[in-house]
Amino acid sequence: MTEQEYLAQRQAVLAEAELDTRAVRAGQVRSAEGEHAEPIFMTSSYVFASAAEAAARFSGEQAGNVYSRYTNPTVRTFEERIAALEGAEMGVATASGMAAILSTCIALLQSGDHIVCSRSVFGTTTVLLNKYLAKLGISTSFVSLTDEQQWRDAITPQTKMLLLETPSNPLSEIADIRLLADIAHEHDCLLVVDNCFCTPALQLPLALGADIVVHSATKYLDGQGRSVGGAVVGRREHMNEVLGFIRTAGPSMSPFNAWVFLKGLETLRLRMMAHSSNALALATWLQEQAGVQKVHYSGLPDHPQHSLAASQQKAFGGVLSFEVGSDKAAAWRFIDATRLVSITANLGDAKTTIVHPATTTHGRLSDEQRQQAGIKDNLIRVSVGLEDIEDLRKDMQRGLDAL
Ligand SMILES: *Cc1c(COP(=O)(O)O)cnc(C)c1O
């Protein structure tokens, strides 16, 4: 058997493999050294055997690497692996989650186009749309994530894209992906889902009808808070446009970061299930505590969209929020009394993090916008990590005792 035949057979085996197998194996190409783990190709450029080969590579006549803003083997492996996990034809890696969202919009939209976006998206996404895309003549209307009629009413003949995150941060609201995909397609729009909070281990938006998935790899894909990166996956026709923009404008992923994310993906499902079970245990416990007014977590049976979450997700994820006492002072007392968890806005880390959204992640919103978004002054968000649940409960008890 030639090496090529072996590789083709291996590729066919992987194409049919389950998610855990793809997470560990997809996209790997061994070099002549025979390394078992994926190597990091820390090189900005590549050499050619001759002037003629250089010319053929530059013209695209011959496939192969030219320069790492265009292609890099480690980045390519990450792109193939994340695409394989999301069930996509093609993936493109980006320098950050924001670069993934920007590149998707710039590559697929033009001046005069309109976006309908959930009001409950990552704060910087809102700024990107309102301040920078607006400058280029791409306008955005914001709607309630969960109100079907608002989505329908906001669509105009200029609308080309619907954009959302589900579950939302920090209130754990759930969008019906299949329903919104149908609405998008009725109007010839693309549905773009930011799958950062669930990851493909828990939710597959493309299988539910979405056209494109964007990621901040910085969160759960890494899972250990080491690198900033992002990804866009979807159909080849769209991804080639996104890739063209990345290659030209330059928000490419570094090979080192791609390697960190590859290692993260290998344990993705194990981690997501552990984050989810810790979060569910903590949410259930918090709900029973006297000082806690309300817990927002779609895994709780009394969450208004619990059955929708259960139908489109394999588990409920690691992020929850809850309201304590009656004001900001109570929330700050709670946070300041913890001793184990980290006070930081980052999420999707093995280490549990705690933050006061109203004065940090959502601090740029006006009082009225915050109220509309349901971000109360006494709200606390926790990204539940992989520590022992008993120790996490004890730390939350320290917060409760300080109320
Ligand atoms: C963090 C985050 C982003 C932005 O990702 P970066 O990697 O920080 O650029 C986008 N969407 C969601 C849901 C996020 O949590």
Side-chain angles (χ1 to χ4, degrees), residues 46 60 65 105 114 157 254 270 344-345 348 398:
Y46 305 83
N65 299 305
C105 293
H114 175 245
S254 91
L270 291 174
T344 172
R398 289 182 191 106

Side-chain angles (χ1 to χ4, degrees), residues 15-217:
E16 296 190 345
E18 300 297 328
L19 185 125
D20 279 349
T21 308
R22 283 176 271 145
V24 174
R25 296 280 184 183
Q28 187 173 6
V29 183
R30 293 214 174 94
S31 81
E33 299 295 338
E35 71 283 348
H36 189 210
E38 298 79 355
I40 313 177
F41 286 90
M42 290 301 285
T43 182
S44 54
S45 60
Y46 305 83
V47 293
F48 312 105
S50 64
E53 186 179 275
R57 290 269 183 91
F58 269 83
S59 71
E61 212 172 285
Q62 186 191 90
N65 299 305
V66 171
Y67 187 53
S68 281
R69 172 152 46 77
Y70 303 146
T71 56
N72 174 279
T74 313
V75 174
R76 190 69 222 138
T77 301
F78 168 74
E79 292 174 329
E80 290 190 3
R81 194 166 293 178
I82 186 66
L85 290 176
E86 291 281 3
E89 282 178 13
M90 184 172 163
V92 183
T94 58
S96 68
M98 290 319 302
I101 298 168
L102 171 69
S103 304
T104 302
C105 293
I106 295 274
L108 300 174
L109 302 175
Q110 54 191 3
S111 180
D113 287 349
H114 175 245
I115 300 171
V116 181
C117 182
S118 157
R119 201 172 282 132
S120 316
V121 289
F122 189 61
T124 313
T125 303
T126 310
V127 178
L128 176 72
L129 299 173
N130 274 339
K131 186 164 176 196
Y132 297 102
L133 287 179
K135 249 203 247 193
L136 307 177
I138 299 167
S139 60
T140 305
S141 302
F142 292 91
V143 297
S144 158
L145 179 68
T146 56
D147 186 335
E148 176 188 348
Q149 199 55 46
Q150 284 193 26
W151 287 94
R152 289 189 183 278
D153 291 347
I155 293 174
T156 72
Q158 282 68 48
T159 307
K160 294 285 163 15
M161 183 182 284
L162 272 49
L163 175 62
L164 62 87
E165 281 164 31
T166 181
S168 72
N169 173 22
L171 295 177
S172 204
E173 297 169 297
I174 307 293
D176 187 333
I177 296 175
R178 193 176 289 284
L179 174 78
L180 288 164
D182 288 344
I183 294 174
H185 299 152
E186 274 168 41
H187 296 87
D188 284 329
C189 297
L190 297 173
L191 177 64
V192 179
V193 175
D194 182 333
N195 202 23
C196 178
F197 277 69
C198 274
T199 82
L202 302 186
Q203 172 171 276
L204 295 169
L206 300 181
L208 294 166
D211 300 285
I212 291 170
V213 166
V214 292
H215 269 289
S216 169

